[in-house]
């Protein structure tokens, strides 16, 4: 019946095997009391885990009901249907919970359904590690509704807690688990018990709910909630949203006790919640909560939780009393708090108690950089309560550094730099100025990058303020207090790296300015900066000249793609874009029809020359990353390009900052500087691209492009992205504009011809993508809004709307266009589901034509007056979000969205089918267009590739009769392209993804023509003599065809017949 072997693993000590462990199982009372999130035994860990069970008794009786955080069924404490319940026929019932990470467990409490104690009989409680091996187990064979397992010593590194039945089972009903709550108490390994607030003193006091104004600052610190972002689980009605509780006052518009001006959750909300996200992690001392007057019961049974930036609970307090307003004082204060959350503790006695009805929630605390404990007042030289009009020393100059607002918002969300004056060549230029949010306090920190000497301050405000300085941004010294207007102090200059300008309150709506001044050492800084940049300039200019000599910005033999940027920190949206265009990514099922109809290889679909250009620019500044990222290098480059574009000599260098754009009136240097500050990880690319611009562009082009740049750079973030792309594309054009292709020989090796064709297709595919994007998205969208007479939405497509279409295409099928979308655009304009409206079929029938490829809809007569029905505008089934969120939703589990977007991807893929792409590509590339130098040399490369292709086919036993690529790619009539043959030749070059079967041409017609041509040519004698002359001079047949067509001597078919007759005559003569 049983063989038992007792012993130890050789590698495990007896202590770890819990031989000496004291495990006590106690029967406890199964009551309706709330579940505490923290006790002396530690945190309640199970509620943050993931539960599972072997089977479900019925709908809704799943495993997670046992860790829902309360012990009351919605049908009453002893009601049914709100517990974790395994199936009746389950012969091996099991329930378990996976904790968020490995922790130390002290106590486990298990509560069954009241009145069904037998369902906990014969239970084994096991504790497992991360490797799912059992560390310890306890066995309960008694008869109790609730049990408590106390572990002494506590078990470390527990990841799983599992419950199983121990056989034999006497009664059939005992085979199931029917669990009300499973509580696991313990501590995180990395957090001590002191930090877990075991000994924290939290006092909840009842306070008076009065109509008095809310102070922005008390002895307990600043009021932090008003600058945060509030949320709640549901809204009772329109306007009763969460932010009403942090609006900064306690008076309703309908009177102090009126209704409709509070944060109010819904009546049917079974788990009401309200919370506020602070601007950043801070130290919290006191929290005050004011409910709606006269409704004290709506604050009953409230849990107030304090969470860190990782959303883990640091501490919690429970209020079960009856009061309109409460104050929670924390001793000691809680550090690193990012979220404050309010939840209801079940059970709820009265139905009306389930809602939160909040008048105001105040959170008082200090920013670590703003706390009064760190401010050390100067013993000597403290200036207080003065109003000086003295002039600043002549040697003083404005001090400039990186600025940020501490703790408080700025009025209208303006940048902290608006506090400073801007200096141009002729004097001061005022910015908009700055005030506090809702005229509240203001605290602006400035980092000068190195130690400076402060001599005074210039301001135009009448508000009292003080100045704090520091060398390390930790220990602050109060330099002055209660200052007014322009002030200088007679004492010695103060040395500091950081400064803070602090206003306890601001009044009025007009923004003011305030800027510190220091001793003039700017010239010495410029000299040091120029010496440090000289080497970088010299090396980069040599690399630019070498790149210009080679004639390509992108290396022909290098793979396409952006590559990694190891020295720069990329934004999250850029990482998401790389994930979407990855050629190894699995395409969602809804879009596989679209991707399968595209004839290009995946590597060509997901790459663009813009990314490759950035990669090449990175290669150019390799080794000088820290220099080109700096502000000094950029300032020198910006000065050079403005001087060249506006034709200023070296003596007029000081006037650069006063140059204004002739088209927009904007300050050119100012717009370039703002763009550089906004770009983030693209800063070095922008600086090096401007250096290319200055070295390769002529003054007229620079003047025109700077006007176009200033027009976009001064607008929204999406327009700024377009301005950056404008500079990169212009640099790419500069490099390739003087490229001359010389046919050194008719023969190229396989590698040379393949590299040349790939280089040409890198350029052409970007052109094709741009035209396909216009025909599939831009023009139909603009046509839709034009048909509905909405010019605003139509014109904003090119600024905002295109971001959603590009991000959606990138996420769905991994295609990347030359235009890079701005993933964080939150200005939804110019977006419509135009292919879903009535009449869109007529619009598609026109745009899908080869003759209309890439055309604007205004140039297509039938689309000027087309009638279209209504479709969704600026939304996509309820919510659009940012372009990044929109793209993520298209690859998620929402099948309605994916199926709807599949139509748009199929329309886009039409322009990349074998029939459409091959015909368009050959039509453009065979013309040898001299307007685009990057496309030159296609025919010689194609001829060489054809000879290698022919040889490869002969090895496999397939014989090709044609002697040239031109004969091979045309059909029998020599009037149209043989698309399958073109596709197979491009597949051999690595452009298209698969080879297709071709129709075997009949040889009889060719022999008959040759027989006739060897005897007599019945066509034009002028044509025949001209062809014979060109062939005798050694011209290849491709050039003979081109020259005869230019001279208009006959059609293509007549020219080919003349070439065959002339070639036959030459062969006979030979």
């Amino acid at each position: 019946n049983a063989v038992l072997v007792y012993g130890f693993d050789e590698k495990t000590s007896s202590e770890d095997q819990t031989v000496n462990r004291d495990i006590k199982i106690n029967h406890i009372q199964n009551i309706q009391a709330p579940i505490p999130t923290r006790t002396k035994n530690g945190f309640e860990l199970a509620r943050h885990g993931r539960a599972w069970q072997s089977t479900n008794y019925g709908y809704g009786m799943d495993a997670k009901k046992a860790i829902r955080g309360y012990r009351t069924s919605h049908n009453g404490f002893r009601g049914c249907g709100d517990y974790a319940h395994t199936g009746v026929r389950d012969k091996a019932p099991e329930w378990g919970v996976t904790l968020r990470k490995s922790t130390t467990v002290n106590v486990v409490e298990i509560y069954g359904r009241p009145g069904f104690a037998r369902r906990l009989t014969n239970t084994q409680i096991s504790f497992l590690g991360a490797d799912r091996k059992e560390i310890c187990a306890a066995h309960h064979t008694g008869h109790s509704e609730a049990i408590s397992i106390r572990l002494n010593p506590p078990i470390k590194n527990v990841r799983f807690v599992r419950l199983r039945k121990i056989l034999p089972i006497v009664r059939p009903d005992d085979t199931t688990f029917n669990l009300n709550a499973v509580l696991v108490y313990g501590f995180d390994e990395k957090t001590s018990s002191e930090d877990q607030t075991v000994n924290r003193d939290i006092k909840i006091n009842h306070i008076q709910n009065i109509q008095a104004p809310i102070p922005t600052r008390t002895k307990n610190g600043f009021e932090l909630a008003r600058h945060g972002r509030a949320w709640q689980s549901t809204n009772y009605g329109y306007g009763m949203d969460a932010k009403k509780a942090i609006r900064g006052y306690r008076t309703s518009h309908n009177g102090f006790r009126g209704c409709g001006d509070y944060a109010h959750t819904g009546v049917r909300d079974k788990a009401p919640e309200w919370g506020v996200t602070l601007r950043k992690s801070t130290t919290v001392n006191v929290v005050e909560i004011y409910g709606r007057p006269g409704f004290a019961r709506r604050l009953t049974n409230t849990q107030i939780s304090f969470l860190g930036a990782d959303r883990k609970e640091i501490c919690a307090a429970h209020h079960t009393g009856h009061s309109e307003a409460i104050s929670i004082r924390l001793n000691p204060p809680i550090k690193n708090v990012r979220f404050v959350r309010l939840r209801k503790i079940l059970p709820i006695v009265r139905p009306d108690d389930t809602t939160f009805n909040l008048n105001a929630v105040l959170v008082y605390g200090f920013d670590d950089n703003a706390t009064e404990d760190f401010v050390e007042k100067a013993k000597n030289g403290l200036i207080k309560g003065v109003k000086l009009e003295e002039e600043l020393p002549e040697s003083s100059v404005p001090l400039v550094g990186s600025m940020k607002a501490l703790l408080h918002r700025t009025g209208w969300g303006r940048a902290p730099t608006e506090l400073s004056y801007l200096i141009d060549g002729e004097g001061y230029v005022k910015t908009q100025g700055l005030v506090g949010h809702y005229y509240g306090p203001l605290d602006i920190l400035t980092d000068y990058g190195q130690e400076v000497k402060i001599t005074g301050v210039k301001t135009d405000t009448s508000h009292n303020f003080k100045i704090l300085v520091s060398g390390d941004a930790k220990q602050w010294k109060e330099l002055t207090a209660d200052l007014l207007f322009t002030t200088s102090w007679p004492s010695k200059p103060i040395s500091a790296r950081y400064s803070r300008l602090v206003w306890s309150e601001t009044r009025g709506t007009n923004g003011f300015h305030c800027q510190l001044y220091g001793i003039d050492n700017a010239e010495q800084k410029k000299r040091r900066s120029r010496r440090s940049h000289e080497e970088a300039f010299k090396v980069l200019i040599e690399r630019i000249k070498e790149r210009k000599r080679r004639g390509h910005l992108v290396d022909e033999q290098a793979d396409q793609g952006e590559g990694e940027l190891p020295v720069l920190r990329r934004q999250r949206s850029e990482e998401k874009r790389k994930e979407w265009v990855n050629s190894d990514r699995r395409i969602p099922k809804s879009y596989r029809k679209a991707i399968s109809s595209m004839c290009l290889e995946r590597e060509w679909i997901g790459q663009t020359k813009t990314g490759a250009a950035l990669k090449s620019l990175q290669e150019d500044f390799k080794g000088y990353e820290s220099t080109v990222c700096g502000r000094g290098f950029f300032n020198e480059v910006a000065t050079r390009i403005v001087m060249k574009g506006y034709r200023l000599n070296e003596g007029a260098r000081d006037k650069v900052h006063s140059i204004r754009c002739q088209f927009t009136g904007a300050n050119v240097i100012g717009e370039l500087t703002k763009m550089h500050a906004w770009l983030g990880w693209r800063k070095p690319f922008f600086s090096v691209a401007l250096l290319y611009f200055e070295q390769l562009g002529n003054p007229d082009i620079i003047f025109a492009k700077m006007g176009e740049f200033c027009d976009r750079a001064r607008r929204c973030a999406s327009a700024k992205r377009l301005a950056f792309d404008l500079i990169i594309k212009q640099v790419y054009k500069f490099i390739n504009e003087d490229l001359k292709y010389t046919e050194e020989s008719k023969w190229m090796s396989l590698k040379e011809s393949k590299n040349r064709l790939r280089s040409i297709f890198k350029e052409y595919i970007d052109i094709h993508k741009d035209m396909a994007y216009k025909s599939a998205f831009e023009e139909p969208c603009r046509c839709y809004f034009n048909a509905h007479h909405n010019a605003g939405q139509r014109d904003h497509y090119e600024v905002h709307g295109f971001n959603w279409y590009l991000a959606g295409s990138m996420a769905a099928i991994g295609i990347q266009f030359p235009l890079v979308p701005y993933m964080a655009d939150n200005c939804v304009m110019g977006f419509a589901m135009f292919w879903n409206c009535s009449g869109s079929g007529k619009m598609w029938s026109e745009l899908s034509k080869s003759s209309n490829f890439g055309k604007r809809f205004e140039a297509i007569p039938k689309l000027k007056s087309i009638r279209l029905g209504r479709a969704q505008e600026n939304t996509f089934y309820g919510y659009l979000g940012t372009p990044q969120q929109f793209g993520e939703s298209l690859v998620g589990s929402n099948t309605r969205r994916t199926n709807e977007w599949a139509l748009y991807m199929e329309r886009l893929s039409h322009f990349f089918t074998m029939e459409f792409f091959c015909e368009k590509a050959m039509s453009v590339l065979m013309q040898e267009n001299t307007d685009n130098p990057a496309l030159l040399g296609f025919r010689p490369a194609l001829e060489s590739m054809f000879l290698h292709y022919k040889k490869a086919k002969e090895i496999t036993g397939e014989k090709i009769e044609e002697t040239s690529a031109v004969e091979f790619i045309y059909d029998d009539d020599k009037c149209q392209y043989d698309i399958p043959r073109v596709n197979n030749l491009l597949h051999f070059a690595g452009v298209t993804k698969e080879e297709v079967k071709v129709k075997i041409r009949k040889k009889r017609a060719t022999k008959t023509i040759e027989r006739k041509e060897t005897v007599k040519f019945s066509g034009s004698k002028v044509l025949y003599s001209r062809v014979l002359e060109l062939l005798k001079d050694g011209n290849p047949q491709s050039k003979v065809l081109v020259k005869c067509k230019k001279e208009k001597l006959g059609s293509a078919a007549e020219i080919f017949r003349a070439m065959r007759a002339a070639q036959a005559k030459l062969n006979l003569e030979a």
Side-chain angles (χ1 to χ4, degrees), residues 543 547 550 552-556 558-559 561-563 565 609-622 685 688 692 732 762:
R543 291 178 180 176
R547 183 80 72 180
R550 292 206 309 266
H552 287 283
L553 183 61
V554 184
D555 189 0
E556 293 181 4
D559 291 333
E562 293 186 28
L565 304 177
K609 68 182 181 184
T610 304
L614 292 178
K615 183 179 178 182
S616 295
L617 289 177
Q618 184 184 3
E619 289 295 324
D620 283 345
F621 65 74
K622 189 174 183 180
F685 298 98
V688 176
Y692 267 96
Y732 186 90
K762 284 178 184 179

Coordinates of all heavy atoms in Angstrom, one line a residue, residues 543 547 550 552-556 558-559 561-563 565 609-622 685 688 692 732 762:
R543 N 35.5 64.6 -44.0 CA 34.6 63.5 -44.2 C 33.5 63.9 -45.2 O 33.1 63.1 -46.1 CB 34.0 62.9 -42.9 CG 35.1 62.3 -42.0 CD 34.4 61.8 -40.7 NE 35.4 61.2 -39.9 CZ 35.2 60.7 -38.7 NH1 34.0 60.8 -38.1 NH2 36.1 60.1 -37.9
R547 N 32.8 62.2 -48.8 CA 31.5 61.6 -49.1 C 31.0 62.3 -50.4 O 30.4 61.6 -51.3 CB 30.5 62.0 -48.0 CG 29.1 61.4 -48.2 CD 29.0 60.0 -47.8 NE 29.1 59.8 -46.4 CZ 29.0 58.6 -45.8 NH1 28.8 57.5 -46.6 NH2 29.1 58.4 -44.5
R550 N 32.7 60.6 -53.4 CA 32.2 59.3 -53.7 C 30.8 59.4 -54.3 O 30.4 58.5 -55.1 CB 32.1 58.4 -52.4 CG 33.4 58.0 -51.8 CD 33.2 56.8 -51.0 NE 32.1 56.8 -50.0 CZ 32.3 57.2 -48.8 NH1 33.5 57.6 -48.3 NH2 31.2 57.2 -48.0
H552 N 27.7 59.4 -52.9 CA 26.6 58.8 -52.3 C 26.6 59.1 -50.8 O 27.6 58.9 -50.1 CB 26.6 57.2 -52.5 CG 26.3 56.8 -53.9 ND1 25.0 56.8 -54.4 CD2 27.1 56.4 -54.9 CE1 25.0 56.4 -55.6 NE2 26.3 56.2 -56.0
L553 N 25.5 59.5 -50.3 CA 25.3 59.6 -48.8 C 25.2 58.3 -48.1 O 25.7 58.1 -47.0 CB 24.1 60.5 -48.5 CG 23.8 60.8 -47.0 CD1 25.0 61.6 -46.5 CD2 22.6 61.5 -46.8
V554 N 24.6 57.3 -48.8 CA 24.4 56.0 -48.3 C 25.4 55.0 -49.0 O 25.4 55.0 -50.2 CB 23.0 55.5 -48.4 CG1 22.8 54.1 -47.8 CG2 22.0 56.5 -47.8
D555 N 26.1 54.2 -48.3 CA 27.1 53.3 -48.9 C 26.3 52.2 -49.7 O 25.4 51.6 -49.2 CB 27.9 52.6 -47.7 CG 29.0 51.8 -48.3 OD1 29.1 51.7 -49.5 OD2 29.8 51.2 -47.5
E556 N 26.7 52.0 -50.9 CA 26.0 51.1 -51.8 C 26.0 49.7 -51.3 O 25.1 48.9 -51.4 CB 26.6 51.2 -53.2 CG 26.3 52.5 -53.9 CD 26.9 52.5 -55.3 OE1 27.4 51.5 -55.7 OE2 26.8 53.5 -56.0
A558 N 26.4 48.8 -48.2 CA 25.9 48.6 -46.8 C 24.4 48.2 -46.8 O 23.7 48.7 -47.7 CB 26.1 49.9 -46.0
D559 N 24.0 47.5 -45.9 CA 22.6 47.1 -45.8 C 21.8 48.3 -45.4 O 22.3 49.2 -44.7 CB 22.4 46.0 -44.7 CG 22.9 44.7 -45.2 OD1 23.0 44.5 -46.4 OD2 23.3 43.9 -44.3
G561 N 18.7 50.4 -43.5 CA 18.3 50.4 -42.1 C 19.0 51.5 -41.3 O 20.0 52.0 -41.7
E562 N 18.4 51.8 -40.2 CA 18.9 52.9 -39.4 C 20.1 52.4 -38.5 O 20.9 53.2 -38.1 CB 17.8 53.4 -38.5 CG 16.7 54.1 -39.2 CD 15.7 54.7 -38.3 OE1 16.1 55.1 -37.2 OE2 14.6 54.9 -38.7
G563 N 20.2 51.1 -38.2 CA 21.2 50.7 -37.3 C 21.0 51.1 -35.9 O 20.0 51.7 -35.5
L565 N 22.0 53.2 -32.4 CA 22.6 54.5 -32.0 C 23.1 54.3 -30.5 O 22.4 54.7 -29.6 CB 21.5 55.6 -32.1 CG 20.9 55.7 -33.4 CD1 19.8 56.8 -33.4 CD2 21.9 56.1 -34.5
K609 N 15.3 55.4 -47.3 CA 16.6 56.1 -47.4 C 16.8 57.1 -46.3 O 17.9 57.5 -46.0 CB 16.7 56.8 -48.8 CG 15.7 58.0 -48.9 CD 15.9 58.6 -50.3 CE 14.9 59.8 -50.5 NZ 15.0 60.3 -51.8
T610 N 15.7 57.6 -45.7 CA 15.8 58.6 -44.6 C 16.6 57.9 -43.4 O 17.5 58.5 -42.8 CB 14.5 59.1 -44.1 OG1 13.8 59.7 -45.2 CG2 14.6 60.1 -43.0
G611 N 16.2 56.7 -43.0 CA 16.9 56.0 -42.0 C 18.3 55.7 -42.3 O 19.2 55.8 -41.5
A612 N 18.5 55.3 -43.6 CA 19.9 55.0 -44.1 C 20.7 56.2 -44.0 O 21.9 56.2 -43.8 CB 19.8 54.4 -45.5
A613 N 20.1 57.4 -44.4 CA 20.9 58.6 -44.3 C 21.3 59.0 -42.9 O 22.4 59.4 -42.7 CB 20.0 59.8 -44.9
L614 N 20.4 58.8 -41.9 CA 20.8 59.0 -40.5 C 21.9 58.1 -40.1 O 22.8 58.5 -39.4 CB 19.6 58.8 -39.6 CG 18.4 59.8 -39.8 CD1 17.3 59.4 -38.9 CD2 18.9 61.2 -39.4
K615 N 21.9 56.8 -40.6 CA 23.0 55.9 -40.3 C 24.3 56.4 -40.8 O 25.3 56.3 -40.2 CB 22.6 54.5 -40.8 CG 23.7 53.4 -40.4 CD 23.2 52.1 -41.0 CE 24.3 51.0 -40.6 NZ 23.9 49.7 -41.2
S616 N 24.3 56.9 -42.0 CA 25.5 57.4 -42.7 C 26.0 58.7 -41.9 O 27.2 58.8 -41.8 CB 25.3 57.7 -44.1 OG 25.0 56.6 -44.8
L617 N 25.1 59.5 -41.5 CA 25.5 60.7 -40.8 C 26.2 60.3 -39.4 O 27.1 60.9 -39.0 CB 24.3 61.6 -40.5 CG 23.7 62.4 -41.7 CD1 22.5 63.2 -41.3 CD2 24.8 63.3 -42.3
Q618 N 25.6 59.2 -38.8 CA 26.2 58.8 -37.6 C 27.6 58.2 -37.8 O 28.5 58.4 -37.0 CB 25.4 57.7 -37.0 CG 25.9 57.2 -35.6 CD 25.0 56.0 -35.1 OE1 24.1 55.6 -35.7 NE2 25.4 55.6 -33.9
E619 N 27.9 57.6 -39.0 CA 29.2 57.1 -39.3 C 30.2 58.3 -39.4 O 31.3 58.2 -39.1 CB 29.2 56.3 -40.6 CG 28.5 55.0 -40.4 CD 29.3 54.0 -39.5 OE1 30.5 54.1 -39.5 OE2 28.7 53.3 -38.8
D620 N 29.6 59.4 -40.0 CA 30.5 60.6 -40.2 C 30.9 61.2 -38.8 O 32.1 61.7 -38.7 CB 29.7 61.7 -41.0 CG 29.7 61.3 -42.5 OD1 30.5 60.4 -42.9 OD2 28.9 61.9 -43.2
F621 N 30.1 61.3 -37.8 CA 30.5 61.9 -36.6 C 30.9 60.9 -35.5 O 31.0 61.2 -34.4 CB 29.4 62.9 -36.0 CG 28.1 62.2 -35.6 CD1 28.1 61.4 -34.4 CD2 27.0 62.3 -36.3 CE1 26.9 60.8 -34.0 CE2 25.8 61.7 -35.9 CZ 25.8 61.0 -34.8
K622 N 31.2 59.7 -36.0 CA 31.7 58.7 -35.1 C 33.1 59.1 -34.5 O 34.0 59.5 -35.2 CB 31.9 57.4 -35.8 CG 32.2 56.2 -34.9 CD 32.2 54.9 -35.7 CE 32.5 53.7 -34.8 NZ 32.5 52.4 -35.6
F685 N 22.5 64.5 -35.2 CA 22.1 64.4 -36.6 C 21.8 65.8 -37.2 O 22.1 66.1 -38.3 CB 21.0 63.4 -36.8 CG 21.3 62.0 -36.4 CD1 20.9 61.6 -35.1 CD2 22.0 61.2 -37.2 CE1 21.2 60.3 -34.7 CE2 22.3 59.9 -36.8 CZ 21.9 59.5 -35.5
V688 N 25.1 67.9 -37.6 CA 25.9 67.5 -38.7 C 25.2 67.7 -40.0 O 25.9 68.1 -41.0 CB 26.3 66.0 -38.5 CG1 27.1 65.5 -39.7 CG2 27.1 65.8 -37.2
Y692 N 26.6 69.9 -43.2 CA 26.5 69.5 -44.7 C 25.9 70.6 -45.5 O 26.4 70.9 -46.6 CB 25.7 68.2 -44.8 CG 26.4 66.9 -44.8 CD1 26.6 66.2 -43.6 CD2 27.0 66.4 -45.9 CE1 27.2 65.0 -43.6 CE2 27.6 65.2 -45.9 CZ 27.8 64.5 -44.7 OH 28.4 63.3 -44.7
Y732 N 20.6 64.9 -48.4 CA 20.7 63.7 -49.3 C 20.7 64.2 -50.7 O 21.5 63.7 -51.5 CB 19.5 62.8 -49.0 CG 19.5 61.5 -49.7 CD1 20.1 60.4 -49.2 CD2 19.0 61.4 -51.0 CE1 20.1 59.2 -49.9 CE2 19.0 60.2 -51.7 CZ 19.6 59.1 -51.1 OH 19.6 57.9 -51.8
K762 N 17.2 51.4 -54.2 CA 17.0 52.1 -53.0 C 16.4 53.5 -53.2 O 15.5 53.9 -52.4 CB 18.4 52.3 -52.3 CG 19.0 51.1 -51.6 CD 20.3 51.4 -51.0 CE 21.0 50.2 -50.5 NZ 22.3 50.4 -49.9

